[in-house]
Amino acid sequence: MISISRRTLLKGSAVVGAFGLGAGLAGPLGKAFAAPDPLLLDARFADAMLDGRNVTKGVMAYTSAGSQVEVSPHGYLPPTIRTQRGKPFAARLINRLDEPTTIHWHGIRLPNAMDGVPFLTQPYVYAGDSFDYAFSPPDAGTFWYHPHCNTLTQIGRGMSGMLIVEDPADPVFDGEVVLNLRDFRLGSDGQFIEQFKARDAAKTGTFGTVRTANWQIDPVEDVPAGGLVRVRIAATDVTRIYNLKLDGGEAVVVALDGQPVASPYPLDLTVVSPGQRLDLVMRAPDGEGQMVRLMDLRPSTPKVVATFRAVGTSLNRSLGDIKPLQPNPPFEADIKGATEIPLVLSATAEQASRDSICGTLGYSFWAINKVPWPGDSADPTAPLAELKLGRTYLLNLENLTPHAHPIHLHGTNFKVLASSKGPVAPLISDTYLVLPDEKVQLAVVADNPGDWVFHCHIIEHQKTGMTGYFRIT
Ligand SMILES: [Cu+2]
């Protein structure tokens, strides 16, 4: 995504503001906001160049005719949506695909009916139909959006966009780069190949063949020389886990999964797994044309994720000049009075899963508490646990498998309390990468009523059984 100065960003925000104002603001008595005009999001097929050589047919995309989004300079990268903390946001999903879909707003604490999970929170949206989403995000940070129906195919073919919730009081940086990290499974002719292999779904998941950031192989992003640049990263891939490091420059981590960290620390092989976000502040090199590379060191051969190129005369900033991000609302849990919930992640005997309108992979390989469930289906599966509104719970997760699972909770955040793998930072998050044989304890405050799914974000694992849900009443 293009690097933009704060000034450009503010100009862009004025456009965003226009739709907030259009439908009327709160009156002097502070009455509820009227819903803003929705951002129009078309779910559609497109042809796009993803491997740099061939036109790939059957890409699945989000596009917007509205003016409230940054227009992507690259093919059919879904628009990066920007809104503000506490402000009403509305989007209309218009389904121009030939199959049902929905939108889930990953990491946003919102009303259950807006969560985008078929059967559990809303009917799936048929081809030709539309659905209106509206919520006011309580947390600022880096989030993303994607379908929760036929998810492996729909995300796999391109439906994952970034959602940025700004806090106007956040520090001003010299530039900002948004990186949406994704692989595509393409053959040598640039066309989609089978999205997964069963033998890989039963292990780490099936990897893509073309690595991209913002739907481009190793994009080069211009950044102001010597400036402090906020880099917002989301791993929206269906499988890949990244270990990120900067080559030729310095960066600190300022937020994880949308939540500011207590104090910034150097980016050094920081792990970002499917569903997770990482906000960095990078100091750009001083010399015009100098390059810094964001690298993934997880594979045996390190891979370039994206390149930053310094432009202009040096602004001579220092990483020590970074001011803290505005905090999100505090996480207030009653740990002492909490009820413990055991959650065992395991493999399960292979069996065919039932057909579903939101797609089936035809296998069950994984289970939570011994129950394999692919989710997004009408099966009358019982909740993993029923939680009382307002109470605190401790999720005692145990991974009996030899694979890592990025477990994602909808509807509310958790706080990481303890791990069998060693000391943990008291992170507040919605996605935690549970390592092989790890036991981890997460605190959850049941502060949002509804049925909320809890699943592995390696989508093959999710869709072959590693899915459940909590009922908060
Ligand atoms: Cu998994």
Side-chain angles (χ1 to χ4, degrees):
M1 183 130 305
I2 45 173
S3 155
I4 44 175
S5 70
R6 192 66 185 181
R7 183 165 299 179
T8 316
L9 183 62
L10 290 173
K11 266 194 267 168
S13 303
V15 181
V16 175
F19 88 98
L21 290 164
L25 292 165
L29 300 176
K31 282 186 183 157
F33 280 74
D37 291 337
L39 167 69
L40 303 179
L41 271 180
D42 286 349
R44 51 172 292 198
F45 290 107
D47 295 343
M49 194 176 287
L50 298 168
D51 66 356
R53 289 176 289 133
N54 300 288
V55 173
T56 303
K57 303 221 176 279
V59 170
M60 295 170 101
Y62 292 111
T63 58
S64 181
S67 57
Q68 303 97 5
V69 294
E70 261 176 60
V71 175
S72 156
H74 317 311
Y76 283 93
L77 173 68
T80 295
I81 300 171
R82 288 179 186 270
T83 185
Q84 286 190 356
R85 184 216 302 275
K87 291 269 175 70
F89 169 79
R92 177 169 300 155
L93 165 65
I94 302 155
N95 186 359
R96 301 189 194 281
L97 302 170
D98 61 3
E99 60 179 64
T101 190
T102 62
I103 297 180
H104 168 59
W105 310 90
H106 186 118
I108 302 285
R109 298 187 289 137
L110 40 57
N112 194 246
M114 298 290 112
D115 196 44
V117 178
F119 299 100
L120 224 51
T121 76
Q122 68 163 95
Y124 42 74
V125 183
Y126 276 109
D129 280 357
S130 66
F131 189 89
D132 282 358
Y133 294 93
F135 50 87
S136 299
D139 301 311
T142 303
F143 302 94
W144 64 294
Y145 61 98
H146 64 81
H148 229 279
C149 182
N150 199 12
T151 314
L152 184 63
T153 298
Q154 292 187 9
I155 299 185
R157 288 184 171 233
M159 293 172 78
S160 62
M162 310 262 306
L163 172 61
I164 290 169
V165 182
E166 297 180 336
D167 185 323
D170 265 343
V172 173
F173 296 96
D174 302 311
E176 180 165 305
V177 174
V178 177
L179 293 176
N180 184 341
L181 306 190
R182 280 297 311 278
D183 293 358
F184 293 91
R185 273 183 63 74
L186 305 177
S188 55
D189 61 353
Q191 303 312 309
F192 284 106
I193 54 175
E194 56 181 357
Q195 187 62 48
F196 80 103
K197 293 176 182 166
R199 66 172 184 273
D200 291 336
K203 295 179 185 166
T204 54
T206 311
F207 290 91
T209 59
V210 175
R211 285 168 161 263
T212 79
N214 299 342
W215 285 216
Q216 288 187 303
I217 300 168
D218 183 15
V220 177
E221 308 281 350
D222 285 346
V223 292
L228 294 177
V229 179
R230 184 169 185 169
V231 184
R232 297 178 182 264
I233 298 167
T236 80
D237 191 49
V238 293
T239 310
R240 187 174 299 286
I241 301 169
Y242 301 81
N243 284 25
L244 297 177
K245 198 172 189 336
L246 216 54
D247 188 0
E250 276 184 293
V252 290
V253 175
V254 294
L256 284 173
D257 299 334
Q259 306 295 326
V261 297
S263 61
Y265 56 88
L267 174 71
D268 185 15
L269 300 183
T270 305
V271 174
V272 192
S273 64
Q276 293 194 291
R277 291 85 64 206
L278 178 67
D279 282 46
L280 306 176
V281 176
M282 176 187 73
R283 190 200 184 275
D286 291 303
E288 168 104 36
Q290 269 184 287
M291 306 275 203
V292 175
R293 287 185 173 80
L294 183 67
M295 306 292 297
D296 177 15
L297 272 68
R298 196 173 184 89
S300 49
T301 311
K303 300 279 194 234
V304 180
V305 173
T307 299
F308 304 100
R309 176 174 57 199
V311 294
T313 49
S314 178
L315 298 173
N316 280 314
R317 308 271 193 237
S318 155
L319 280 174
D321 297 340
I322 298 173
K323 305 259 184 335
L325 301 178
Q326 289 296 304
N328 281 325
F331 185 90
E332 286 165 348
D334 170 22
I335 306 287
K336 279 195 181 142
T339 304
E340 301 192 22
I341 301 173
L343 294 164
V344 177
L345 309 179
S346 67
T348 189
E350 186 172 334
Q351 62 179 55
S353 62
R354 271 165 292 176
D355 211 0
S356 155
I357 194 156
C358 278
T360 177
L361 304 195
Y363 299 89
S364 290
F365 293 128
W366 307 98
I368 302 178
N369 289 349
K370 296 188 177 171
V371 177
W373 187 55
D376 306 337
S377 65
D379 315 13
T381 301
L384 292 165
E386 300 202 23
L387 280 49
K388 289 273 168 281
L389 193 61
R391 289 192 58 185
T392 301
Y393 292 84
L394 301 178
L395 309 184
N396 291 336
L397 268 163
E398 183 173 7
N399 181 2
L400 299 183
T401 82
H403 303 289
H405 301 285
I407 286 283
H408 172 48
L409 175 63
H410 289 214
T412 193
N413 290 325
F414 52 74
K415 183 175 188 177
V416 183
L417 296 184
S419 162
S420 60
K421 296 287 182 186
V424 288
L427 293 174
I428 308 227
S429 176
D430 49 74
T431 309
Y432 182 88
L433 183 66
V434 194
L435 298 176
D437 305 316
E438 181 176 5
K439 290 181 188 172
V440 64
Q441 188 170 60
L442 311 175
V444 169
V445 182
D447 57 2
N448 198 356
D451 286 347
W452 299 106
V453 274
F454 177 75
H455 63 85
C456 181
H457 227 288
I458 292 174
I459 307 296
E460 288 155 83
H461 293 179
Q462 170 193 349
K463 295 295 284 180
T464 58
M466 200 174 278
T467 304
Y469 67 97
F470 296 106
R471 175 164 291 161
I472 299 179
T473 54

